[in-house]
Amino acid sequence: MRSDSTLRVRFPSGQGYPVAFRPLGELAMVMREAGLRPGRVLIVSDRNVAELYGLTVDRVLQDDGWEPRLLALPPGETTKTPEHLQAIYSAALEWGIDRKTPIVALGGGVIGDLAGFAAATLLRGVPLVHVPTTLLAQVDSSIGGKTGINHPTGKNLVGAFYQPTLVLSDIRTLATLPEREWGSGAAEVVKHALIGDQRLFELLVESWPLFSTRDVATVQEVLQRACQVKIDIVGRDEREHGPRAFLNFGHTFGHALEQATEFKVLTHGEAVAIGMRAALYLSRRFNPKLDYMRTDQLVLRIPVPTIPADIALGEVIQAMRNDKKAESGRLRFVLIKRVGSPYVTDKIAAADVEAAWRHVLVS
Ligand code: ADP
Ligand code: ZN
């Protein structure tokens, strides 16, 4: 596999966009290739990422004739609010952007969602360039066009589908990612293997030590394969009417755990890792051909903190019912027949759901 290469999201309409695995230093070139022409450009980042990579991106754009401005917001999920959205609007509008002025989202999923929503709504839509710097954002949230902010009632409840003009992922930026953020992204990588790619699954089983120590060649290969799974799914389902549901593997359980622990104990990826164990447990119950041992062993390699022992079963089950994805009162689960063959079912008995919870909460 080439060390730097470009994948592409393709929609049935013929529209699409590149997902380039290239160094930050080539951002201006990749923007040109995608049809963007120098002018003003607003870079939105968080303070951590701006400190590490803001100057590089600013220089690269300036060298190609762009006039960049950098807005650095506080890091963390609590930044996904109307106030910070307003801060982006003000920075853009008071500066005098026009409909061709791109917004570059430089950071993790938080910045991608927030700056993406700003790009979707400013002047009814300006070009959006995703430059994801976390594993989770590179493999998952930068691809597919979901943007939005949180509301006191719940996460991501206000937003829009808005596809970027391009995604540039520089895997070298992952070198500085804190260990816990790495593990959180690794959960989505494993998810993509389980729902979509047997070879990626084998690669992860064989190369886990190299992957988790961020060996560049291994990360490159794993990421491209994992991104391809997501690209194929969103290309078939731009607005989440069908196969995108497969991406929720482990998430019905995971969201419930995040809620029951009030988003304080587990990162999203950690909750999904635990949720995937529950989903695999159910999958085995209905699909004897599933290689349960090896799939469960792989998920178990994702580091997760101990879940507080006082989490009541009733609490997580209630949280599950509150999930916004619960349709027509019945809980839907994504299970797998075997690696790479996901399906959606709403026919799981309450007793089986409980058994799955018991399995992951006590073992
Ligand atoms: P996610 O992508 O998981 O949604 P965030 O956007 O909240 O996560 O980013 C997680 C944390 O990691 C934030 O504190 C952010 O500032 C920091 N971060 C993002 N990318 C990098 C990086 N490449 N190096 C170091 N820290 C980073
Ligand atoms: Zn997820």
Side-chain angles (χ1 to χ4, degrees), residues 45-50 52-53 73-78 80 106-113 131-138 141 170-178 180-182 184-185 214 267-269:
S45 192
D46 72 32
R47 287 187 199 126
N48 296 336
V49 179
L52 289 161
Y53 305 109
L73 300 170
E77 188 70 30
T78 50
K80 275 169 67 174
L106 173 67
V110 166
I111 290 300
D113 284 6
V131 183
T133 61
T134 64
L135 180 56
L136 188 127
Q138 293 191 356
S141 58
D170 181 350
I171 64 162
R172 298 148 194 90
T173 61
L174 300 178
T176 50
L177 196 64
R180 211 168 160 199
E181 302 299 337
W182 176 270
S184 190
R214 308 185 202 181
T267 65
H268 172 72

Side-chain angles (χ1 to χ4, degrees), residues 59-233:
R59 286 230 175 108
V60 168
L61 291 173
Q62 275 200 45
D63 287 351
D64 202 45
W66 290 90
E67 190 192 335
R69 260 200 199 180
L70 175 72
L71 178 65
L73 300 170
E77 188 70 30
T78 50
T79 296
K80 275 169 67 174
T81 59
E83 289 73 30
H84 291 106
L85 187 62
Q86 181 73 16
I88 302 176
Y89 291 154
S90 298
L93 296 171
E94 286 162 17
W95 188 24
I97 63 154
D98 64 39
R99 280 208 169 146
K100 288 189 174 153
T101 309
I103 294 201
V104 173
L106 173 67
V110 166
I111 290 300
D113 284 6
L114 178 70
F117 191 47
T121 45
L122 269 167
L123 307 178
R124 299 201 179 85
V126 296
L128 169 63
V129 175
H130 275 305
V131 183
T133 61
T134 64
L135 180 56
L136 188 127
Q138 293 191 356
V139 81
D140 193 5
S141 58
S142 67
I143 304 168
K146 281 194 181 179
T147 72
I149 58 173
N150 299 329
H151 184 268
T153 330
K155 284 198 176 185
N156 300 321
L157 293 181
V158 178
F161 281 102
Y162 192 67
Q163 303 296 342
T165 302
L166 70 100
V167 181
L168 180 140
S169 284
D170 181 350
I171 64 162
R172 298 148 194 90
T173 61
L174 300 178
T176 50
L177 196 64
E179 198 55 39
R180 211 168 160 199
E181 302 299 337
W182 176 270
S184 190
E188 304 283 3
V189 170
V190 169
K191 179 192 80 178
H192 289 172
L194 292 175
I195 63 169
D197 188 344
Q198 168 84 40
R199 274 183 57 196
L200 175 58
F201 172 75
E202 299 298 343
L203 179 65
L204 287 169
V205 170
E206 272 165 38
S207 317
W208 189 265
L210 282 170
F211 176 62
S212 54
T213 52
R214 308 185 202 181
D215 170 72
V216 173
T218 309
V219 170
Q220 182 85 30
E221 192 178 357
V222 165
L223 242 74
Q224 290 185 11
R225 294 201 77 97
C227 285
Q228 191 63 55
V229 171
K230 174 126 192 196
I231 284 172
D232 289 345
I233 291 177

Side-chain angles (χ1 to χ4, degrees), residues 1 10 26 59 98 104 120 164 166 184 229 249 251 292 294 305 325 335 349:
M1 194 161 294
R10 290 173 209 277
E26 293 180 14
R59 286 230 175 108
D98 64 39
V104 173
L166 70 100
S184 190
V229 171
F249 184 69
H251 281 58
Y292 178 71
R294 291 174 77 233
K325 289 189 180 93
L335 304 183

